[in-house]
Amino acid sequence: MFSDFLKRLTQPDPAQLPDADARLALTALLVRIAKSDNDYAPAERAQINRIIGTRYGLNEAEIADLRSDAEALEAEAPDTVRFTRAIKDAVPYESRLDVIEALWSVVLADGTRSDEENALLRLVSNLLGVTDTDSALVRQRIDDER
């Protein structure tokens, strides 16, 4: 279903993704972080829905379609690095902290942080060029707001 999309992600020098593909890649990364602890909790799915609904101005049907497509893509995709590269190429540097904030909000949505989630988020932060310190500050802020 997503073979063309995955082929574009795996090219040695992929072109910047169109907005719709960037949305799909970010949502698939949110799904991947939520599933990284082998517990894709309802609270995490609800948080993904809130993030993509707010970020992209989607209605409930559009949210459901995008998350469904992202879940299918996440299941087919070989690794996290390609999602991250696509997002890094599509998102200006100053907006990457927003991506990290979205990821942390999904991780923290179910009230627990697993070692797998922490490790994956550390990897993604580094691949996006976001420092561990900045990522930790974002996490702390989200934690304090809960």
Side-chain angles (χ1 to χ4, degrees), residues 94-132:
E94 55 277 355
S95 298
R96 293 182 198 153
L97 278 176
D98 294 338
V99 172
I100 298 302
E101 181 176 353
L103 291 166
W104 273 120
S105 71
V106 170
V107 166
L108 298 171
D110 63 358
T112 61
R113 284 176 43 204
S114 72
D115 291 340
E116 296 87 358
E117 290 170 325
N118 287 331
L120 183 56
L121 221 144
R122 185 173 294 124
L123 170 68
V124 168
S125 293
N126 288 331
L127 291 170
L128 287 175
V130 174
T131 66
D132 286 340

Coordinates of all heavy atoms in Angstrom, one line a residue, residues 94-132:
E94 N 13.6 25.2 13.7 CA 12.9 25.8 14.8 C 11.6 25.1 15.2 O 11.1 25.3 16.3 CB 12.7 27.3 14.6 CG 11.9 27.7 13.4 CD 12.8 27.8 12.1 OE1 14.0 27.6 12.2 OE2 12.2 27.9 11.0
S95 N 11.0 24.3 14.3 CA 9.8 23.6 14.6 C 10.0 22.2 15.1 O 9.1 21.5 15.5 CB 8.9 23.5 13.4 OG 8.6 24.8 13.0
R96 N 11.3 21.7 15.1 CA 11.5 20.4 15.5 C 11.3 20.1 17.0 O 10.9 19.0 17.4 CB 13.0 20.0 15.2 CG 13.2 19.9 13.7 CD 14.5 19.5 13.3 NE 14.7 19.8 11.9 CZ 15.9 20.1 11.4 NH1 17.0 20.0 12.1 NH2 16.0 20.4 10.1
L97 N 11.4 21.2 17.8 CA 11.0 21.0 19.2 C 9.6 20.7 19.4 O 9.2 20.0 20.3 CB 11.4 22.2 20.1 CG 12.9 22.3 20.5 CD1 13.1 23.7 21.2 CD2 13.3 21.2 21.4
D98 N 8.7 21.2 18.5 CA 7.3 20.9 18.5 C 7.1 19.4 18.2 O 6.2 18.8 18.8 CB 6.5 21.7 17.5 CG 6.5 23.2 17.8 OD1 6.7 23.6 18.9 OD2 6.3 24.0 16.8
V99 N 7.9 18.8 17.4 CA 7.8 17.4 17.1 C 8.2 16.6 18.3 O 7.5 15.7 18.7 CB 8.8 17.0 15.9 CG1 8.8 15.5 15.7 CG2 8.3 17.7 14.6
I100 N 9.3 17.0 19.0 CA 9.7 16.4 20.2 C 8.6 16.5 21.3 O 8.3 15.6 22.0 CB 11.0 17.0 20.8 CG1 12.1 16.7 19.7 CG2 11.4 16.4 22.1 CD1 12.4 15.2 19.4
E101 N 8.0 17.7 21.4 CA 6.9 17.9 22.3 C 5.7 16.9 22.1 O 5.2 16.3 23.0 CB 6.4 19.3 22.3 CG 5.3 19.6 23.3 CD 4.9 21.1 23.3 OE1 5.5 21.9 22.6 OE2 3.9 21.4 24.0
A102 N 5.4 16.8 20.8 CA 4.3 15.9 20.4 C 4.7 14.4 20.8 O 3.8 13.7 21.4 CB 4.0 16.0 18.9
L103 N 5.9 14.0 20.6 CA 6.3 12.7 20.9 C 6.3 12.5 22.4 O 5.8 11.4 22.9 CB 7.8 12.4 20.4 CG 7.9 12.3 18.9 CD1 9.3 12.4 18.4 CD2 7.2 11.0 18.3
W104 N 6.8 13.4 23.2 CA 6.8 13.3 24.6 C 5.3 13.2 25.2 O 5.0 12.5 26.1 CB 7.5 14.4 25.3 CG 9.0 14.1 25.5 CD1 10.0 14.8 25.0 CD2 9.6 13.0 26.2 NE1 11.2 14.3 25.4 CE2 11.0 13.2 26.1 CE3 9.1 11.9 26.9 CZ2 11.9 12.2 26.7 CZ3 10.0 11.0 27.5 CH2 11.3 11.2 27.4
S105 N 4.5 14.0 24.6 CA 3.1 14.0 25.0 C 2.4 12.7 24.8 O 1.6 12.2 25.6 CB 2.3 15.1 24.4 OG 2.0 14.9 23.0
V106 N 2.8 12.0 23.7 CA 2.3 10.6 23.5 C 2.9 9.6 24.5 O 2.2 8.8 25.1 CB 2.5 10.2 22.0 CG1 2.2 8.7 21.8 CG2 1.7 11.0 21.0
V107 N 4.2 9.7 24.7 CA 4.8 8.8 25.7 C 4.2 9.0 27.0 O 4.0 8.0 27.7 CB 6.4 9.1 25.7 CG1 7.0 8.5 26.9 CG2 7.0 8.6 24.5
L108 N 3.9 10.2 27.4 CA 3.4 10.5 28.8 C 1.9 10.3 28.9 O 1.4 10.4 30.0 CB 3.9 11.8 29.3 CG 5.4 12.0 29.3 CD1 5.7 13.5 29.6 CD2 6.0 11.2 30.4
A109 N 1.2 10.1 27.8 CA -0.3 10.1 27.8 C -0.8 9.0 28.7 O -1.9 9.1 29.3 CB -0.8 9.9 26.4
D110 N -0.1 7.8 28.7 CA -0.7 6.7 29.5 C -0.1 6.7 31.0 O -0.4 5.8 31.7 CB -0.4 5.4 28.8 CG 1.1 5.0 28.7 OD1 2.0 5.9 29.1 OD2 1.4 4.0 28.2
G111 N 0.6 7.7 31.3 CA 1.1 7.9 32.7 C 2.4 7.1 33.0 O 2.8 7.1 34.2
T112 N 3.0 6.4 32.0 CA 4.2 5.7 32.3 C 5.2 6.0 31.2 O 4.8 6.2 30.1 CB 4.0 4.2 32.4 OG1 3.5 3.7 31.1 CG2 3.0 3.8 33.5
R113 N 6.5 5.8 31.6 CA 7.6 5.9 30.6 C 8.4 4.7 30.7 O 9.0 4.3 31.7 CB 8.5 7.1 31.0 CG 8.0 8.4 30.7 CD 8.9 9.6 31.1 NE 10.3 9.3 30.9 CZ 11.3 9.9 31.5 NH1 11.0 10.7 32.5 NH2 12.5 9.7 31.2
S114 N 8.4 3.9 29.6 CA 9.2 2.7 29.5 C 10.6 3.0 29.1 O 10.9 4.0 28.4 CB 8.5 1.7 28.6 OG 8.7 2.1 27.3
D115 N 11.5 2.1 29.3 CA 12.9 2.2 28.8 C 12.9 2.2 27.3 O 13.7 3.0 26.7 CB 13.7 1.0 29.3 CG 14.0 1.1 30.8 OD1 13.9 2.2 31.4 OD2 14.4 0.0 31.3
E116 N 12.0 1.5 26.7 CA 11.9 1.5 25.2 C 11.5 2.8 24.6 O 12.1 3.3 23.7 CB 11.0 0.4 24.7 CG 11.4 -1.0 25.0 CD 10.9 -1.5 26.4 OE1 10.3 -0.7 27.1 OE2 11.2 -2.7 26.7
E117 N 10.5 3.4 25.3 CA 10.1 4.8 24.9 C 11.2 5.8 25.0 O 11.4 6.6 24.2 CB 8.8 5.2 25.6 CG 7.6 4.4 25.3 CD 6.4 4.6 26.2 OE1 6.7 4.8 27.4 OE2 5.3 4.6 25.7
N118 N 11.8 5.7 26.2 CA 12.9 6.7 26.5 C 14.0 6.5 25.4 O 14.6 7.5 24.9 CB 13.5 6.5 27.9 CG 12.6 6.9 29.0 OD1 11.8 7.9 28.8 ND2 12.7 6.3 30.1
A119 N 14.4 5.3 25.1 CA 15.5 5.1 24.2 C 15.1 5.5 22.8 O 15.9 6.2 22.1 CB 15.9 3.6 24.1
L120 N 13.9 5.2 22.3 CA 13.5 5.7 21.0 C 13.4 7.2 20.9 O 13.8 7.8 19.9 CB 12.1 5.0 20.7 CG 11.6 5.3 19.3 CD1 12.6 4.9 18.2 CD2 10.3 4.6 19.0
L121 N 12.9 7.8 22.0 CA 12.8 9.3 21.9 C 14.2 9.9 21.9 O 14.4 10.9 21.3 CB 11.9 9.8 23.1 CG 11.0 10.9 22.6 CD1 9.7 10.9 23.3 CD2 11.7 12.2 22.7
R122 N 15.1 9.3 22.7 CA 16.5 9.9 22.6 C 17.1 9.8 21.2 O 17.7 10.7 20.7 CB 17.4 9.1 23.7 CG 18.8 9.7 23.7 CD 19.6 9.1 24.9 NE 19.0 9.5 26.1 CZ 18.6 8.6 27.1 NH1 18.8 7.3 26.9 NH2 18.1 8.9 28.2
L123 N 16.9 8.6 20.6 CA 17.4 8.4 19.2 C 16.8 9.4 18.3 O 17.5 10.1 17.5 CB 17.1 7.0 18.8 CG 17.3 6.7 17.3 CD1 18.8 6.8 17.0 CD2 16.7 5.4 16.9
V124 N 15.4 9.6 18.3 CA 14.7 10.5 17.4 C 15.2 11.9 17.7 O 15.4 12.7 16.7 CB 13.2 10.3 17.6 CG1 12.5 11.5 16.9 CG2 12.8 9.0 17.0
S125 N 15.3 12.3 18.9 CA 15.8 13.7 19.2 C 17.1 13.9 18.6 O 17.3 15.0 18.0 CB 15.9 13.9 20.8 OG 14.6 13.8 21.4
N126 N 18.0 13.0 18.8 CA 19.4 13.2 18.2 C 19.3 13.2 16.7 O 20.0 14.0 16.1 CB 20.3 12.1 18.7 CG 20.7 12.3 20.2 OD1 20.7 13.4 20.7 ND2 20.9 11.2 20.9
L127 N 18.5 12.4 16.1 CA 18.4 12.4 14.6 C 17.8 13.7 14.1 O 18.1 14.1 13.0 CB 17.6 11.2 14.1 CG 18.3 9.8 14.3 CD1 17.3 8.7 14.0 CD2 19.5 9.7 13.4
L128 N 17.0 14.3 14.9 CA 16.4 15.6 14.5 C 17.3 16.7 14.8 O 17.0 17.9 14.4 CB 15.0 15.8 15.2 CG 13.9 14.9 14.7 CD1 12.6 15.2 15.6 CD2 13.5 15.2 13.2
G129 N 18.4 16.5 15.5 CA 19.3 17.5 15.8 C 18.9 18.3 17.1 O 19.4 19.4 17.3
V130 N 18.0 17.7 17.9 CA 17.6 18.3 19.1 C 18.4 17.8 20.3 O 18.6 16.5 20.4 CB 16.1 18.1 19.4 CG1 15.7 18.6 20.7 CG2 15.3 18.7 18.3
T131 N 19.0 18.6 21.1 CA 19.9 18.2 22.2 C 19.1 17.4 23.2 O 17.9 17.6 23.4 CB 20.6 19.3 22.8 OG1 19.6 20.1 23.5 CG2 21.4 20.1 21.8
D132 N 19.8 16.5 24.0 CA 19.2 15.8 25.1 C 18.6 16.8 26.1 O 17.6 16.6 26.7 CB 20.2 14.9 25.8 CG 20.5 13.7 24.9 OD1 19.6 13.3 24.0 OD2 21.5 13.0 25.2

